[in-house]
Amino acid sequence: MTCEGKVKHLIRTIQEGNLSHLKEELGKDEGVLDAVLKGHFGRSGDTMLHYAARYGHLPILKYLVEELGANIELVNSDYKRALHEAASMGHRMCVSYLLAQGARIDCLKKADWTPLMMACTRKNLEVIKDLITSGASLALTNKDGWSSFHIACREGDPEIIQYFLEVSPNIWDVESKIQRTPLHTVAMHGHFEAAELLLERCAYKPDAKDSCGVTPFMDAVQNGHIEIAKLLLERHKADFLATDALGAQSLHRATVTAQDEAIRFLVTELGVNVNERATELKLTALHYAAKEGHTNTIETLLMLEIDIQARDVKGRSALHMACAGQHTNCIKKLIAAGLTDSTDDSGMLASQLLKKPEALKVLHNITDCK
């Protein structure tokens, strides 16, 4: 077996957690020992220590460190250490061992993620507790300005969020680099219990906007989390008519993401005007649906009696949007509903925006039959 083949074989042995076989193979050929201790393998540049920590094999981890003298601070191509690996996979015993061996608790991998941040991607409260009680910083943020609390809120485990608030009562008062709060995060990801907890324990301002002008209510609606939207209305007095940086309301944002149930909720239960326009370009929800190619959403809006002839600030109809996006089914739906191939303010026909011959043929055939 070549040296490279032996090393690959040893990696598989470590992944499988077979310590006795690892010792046996190293006893046969001490020539690969240097590779075991210092070598970097694969695209990620992992060391043997990374593999042992990632797969949670504590006996192998101990053998590499205590008997072979492996350096616990070795990094891979992403600057991840063994502690990052163990924390990210929720291997509590490996985390505890590495900390006891003096591993740097707030070491940073690529994009400035700490082991605590990595642990928060898993719903393993005990690992998170071990890191925090061992001195992991709660204040550090990654390159996007996300704290460990942000990440915990993204995963949405109420018990973990509650623990963070107990050890650091003001930890909720944080924003990412684009001004998104943890409340935005739980609303976006649909974590109802987490949202209840944040509204009960934290003093977030109603309708706090991120750098794009998006509120937690908008996040909930555009991702189809209607129960959270209702919770924000009841507990936080959210403004369902608030606009983002481009003047779009929750109605328009729900249309972009084809959240038909949310659209019906806004219009039929909250009384939002289905013909409401985004203030910047005067686009209606129908324009947005046609632009994105959401045929079912167009049908929903038509059932809600949206004005099919509405034009934006440039004189464009929803048909112009559908043609520009080459959305053949949307074109069919709009023309069948009575929208004609009219011009915008520049005199351009909607059909002139079509580039695909088959789509243009569809438009002409439907128009000829009317």
Side-chain angles (χ1 to χ4, degrees):
M1 185 182 295
T2 65
C3 183
E4 182 180 353
K6 289 177 181 178
V7 170
K8 288 183 178 179
H9 178 62
L10 291 176
I11 291 173
R12 287 194 296 271
T13 298
I14 289 175
Q15 290 172 331
E16 293 166 359
N18 194 333
L19 177 58
S20 60
H21 186 61
L22 175 64
K23 289 181 177 181
E24 181 183 339
E25 290 300 310
L26 288 177
K28 292 178 182 177
D29 187 355
E30 293 185 0
V32 297
L33 183 58
D34 195 55
V36 169
L37 293 177
K38 301 177 183 178
H40 295 266
F41 311 101
R43 292 182 179 179
S44 59
D46 290 324
T47 67
M48 297 293 184
L49 209 62
H50 285 86
Y51 290 114
R54 182 181 305 148
Y55 287 89
H57 299 312
L58 181 59
I60 291 181
L61 202 59
K62 287 183 175 181
Y63 172 68
L64 292 172
V65 174
E66 296 177 16
E67 296 190 37
L68 300 186
N71 180 3
I72 60 174
E73 301 297 351
L74 286 176
V75 299
N76 67 7
S77 302
D78 289 331
Y79 303 103
K80 289 172 73 174
R81 292 168 168 80
L83 185 59
H84 283 105
E85 294 287 0
S88 69
M89 300 305 293
H91 298 312
R92 186 183 184 189
M93 298 304 293
C94 291
V95 169
S96 296
Y97 174 73
L98 289 167
L99 291 174
Q101 292 296 312
R104 291 176 54 194
I105 196 164
D106 286 326
C107 52
L108 301 180
K109 81 169 192 72
K110 192 175 182 179
D112 297 336
W113 282 63
T114 66
L116 178 58
M117 292 175 194
M118 301 294 290
C120 288
T121 65
R122 299 270 174 174
K123 296 179 181 180
N124 191 320
L125 178 58
E126 296 308 314
V127 172
I128 291 170
K129 283 183 176 181
D130 288 345
L131 288 164
I132 291 176
T133 56
S134 296
S137 173
L138 298 174
L140 289 174
T141 57
N142 64 18
K143 74 173 183 63
D144 297 315
W146 278 49
S147 67
S148 296
F149 188 65
H150 265 111
I151 297 163
C153 287
R154 184 187 68 184
E155 300 306 314
D157 188 315
E159 192 176 1
I160 292 175
I161 294 171
Q162 178 74 33
Y163 172 72
F164 270 103
L165 291 169
E166 288 173 357
V167 297
S168 181
N170 293 321
I171 198 171
W172 60 269
D173 192 10
V174 62
E175 293 181 347
S176 70
K177 287 188 177 179
I178 57 171
Q179 299 176 304
R180 292 182 63 76
T181 67
L183 185 59
H184 281 90
T185 302
V186 298
M188 176 181 181
H189 290 278
H191 300 309
F192 185 84
E193 289 184 62
E196 281 189 311
L197 181 58
L198 292 185
L199 291 175
E200 177 185 339
R201 294 287 303 274
C202 311
Y204 291 112
K205 295 178 180 178
D207 302 312
K209 295 185 176 183
D210 65 14
S211 61
C212 294
V214 176
T215 67
F217 180 85
M218 291 179 187
D219 265 324
V221 168
Q222 70 186 9
N223 288 284
H225 306 308
I226 297 175
E227 291 307 310
I228 291 183
K230 291 179 178 179
L231 181 69
L232 289 166
L233 288 171
E234 177 186 346
R235 303 271 188 91
H236 221 212
K237 308 304 178 186
D239 180 4
F240 56 83
L241 297 179
T243 58
D244 65 16
L246 296 178
Q249 294 185 5
S250 296
L251 171 66
H252 304 112
R253 299 188 68 91
T255 305
V256 170
T257 55
Q259 296 295 341
D260 294 356
E261 185 180 354
I263 293 169
R264 286 190 286 269
F265 164 69
L266 290 168
V267 175
T268 60
E269 293 190 37
L270 298 185
V272 173
N273 180 5
V274 73
N275 290 305
E276 194 67 54
R277 294 170 178 267
T279 56
E280 289 293 314
L281 295 176
K282 303 301 180 185
L283 297 168
T284 68
L286 191 63
H287 284 92
Y288 285 105
K291 181 181 179 181
E292 299 298 328
H294 300 319
T295 308
N296 289 340
T297 302
I298 288 176
E299 188 171 336
T300 295
L301 292 168
L302 292 174
M303 291 176 63
L304 293 170
E305 299 183 350
I306 196 168
D307 180 7
I308 193 172
Q309 303 295 343
R311 303 300 182 96
D312 70 3
V313 72
K314 296 181 180 180
R316 298 172 298 185
S317 68
L319 186 58
H320 285 85
M321 300 297 187
C323 288
Q326 310 290 302
H327 302 307
T328 305
N329 289 334
C330 291
I331 295 170
K332 290 179 180 180
K333 178 68 66 176
L334 290 168
I335 291 180
L339 188 50
T340 59
D341 185 20
S342 52
T343 61
D344 61 14
D345 284 353
S346 68
M348 177 178 284
L349 284 167
S351 60
Q352 290 173 341
L353 296 169
L354 288 170
K355 298 176 182 177
K356 296 181 180 180
E358 61 271 23
L360 184 59
K361 183 178 179 181
V362 166
L363 180 58
H364 288 163
N365 286 345
I366 295 175
T367 304
D368 290 343
C369 292
K370 289 187 71 65

